[in-house]
Amino acid sequence: MVMPPDEPKFDDLYKELILDHYRYPHNRGVLEKPDVDMQQHNPVCGDKIRLTAIIKDGAISQIEFLGQGCAISQASASMLTDRVKGLNLGDVDKLSINFRDMLKGGKPDEQLMQDLMSLQGVSKYPIRIKCAVLAWDTLQEALGLK
Ligand code: ZN
């Protein structure tokens, strides 16, 4: 199997942000007594993501991830945990829909996307889209949003 290149030539600033999350992932770990605990993998690239989260009053109060795989998948998971912490499930769904739409080439809501804009370049590399959405797939599955 041919592995896809790990560092597509995105805009330098964005690429730096992706690599920064990859090297120094945020919210890395496994929560004790989580309300949700979900794992998924992307067989094309070998990426794995496990998410644990604690849900309080309909919102994500804590979330951590463990994973391995390419920079895109791990950076996306790290950014996801940053962004969804504190959000209610409706807002998580909205964010997820906008993110997926961006990866399919749609025009993103930049204020909503914030750091996630750095992954917009992935839309030009169809084989990598699964890498970028893996953490989101895992979260939606865990929350029963899909
Ligand atoms: Zn990947």
Side-chain angles (χ1 to χ4, degrees):
M1 187 168 66
V2 179
M3 296 302 285
D6 208 10
E7 297 184 18
K9 290 176 179 52
F10 299 158
D11 177 283
D12 277 343
L13 174 68
Y14 288 154
K15 188 171 130 183
E16 198 54 44
L17 185 59
I18 290 170
L19 293 177
D20 202 51
H21 273 273
Y22 176 56
R23 293 186 188 119
Y24 308 104
H26 302 183
N27 309 301
R28 189 173 176 82
V30 176
L31 293 167
E32 279 182 40
K33 299 184 186 168
D35 295 308
V36 295
D37 184 347
M38 184 67 67
Q39 184 164 330
Q40 285 200 6
H41 75 291
N42 168 19
V44 177
C45 191
D47 308 320
K48 285 182 186 159
I49 297 289
R50 179 183 173 192
L51 285 175
T52 51
I54 292 173
I55 315 293
K56 257 186 201 154
D57 302 324
I60 296 177
S61 71
Q62 290 185 61
I63 183 164
E64 291 190 356
F65 87 99
L66 278 186
Q68 60 188 66
C70 70
I72 299 295
S73 68
Q74 303 304 305
S76 181
S78 174
M79 289 183 204
L80 172 146
T81 57
D82 273 350
R83 281 308 308 284
V84 303
K85 203 185 287 184
L87 290 187
N88 69 48
L89 303 193
D91 286 341
V92 170
D93 203 33
K94 187 177 161 196
L95 191 62
S96 167
I97 288 167
N98 207 272
F99 181 69
R100 287 167 192 279
D101 190 53
M102 176 177 82
L103 292 181
K104 287 181 196 152
K107 187 170 162 37
D109 177 340
E110 295 191 26
Q111 276 190 321
L112 184 65
M113 288 292 101
Q114 301 176 19
D115 281 6
L116 298 170
M117 288 297 298
S118 63
L119 291 160
Q120 187 178 18
V122 174
S123 65
K124 297 180 198 131
Y125 302 80
I127 198 170
R128 310 307 303 277
I129 293 174
K130 179 69 185 169
C131 304
V133 300
L134 179 62
W136 295 86
D137 283 345
T138 309
L139 182 64
Q140 285 192 294
E141 179 89 35
L143 298 177
L145 292 174
K146 58 182 283 195

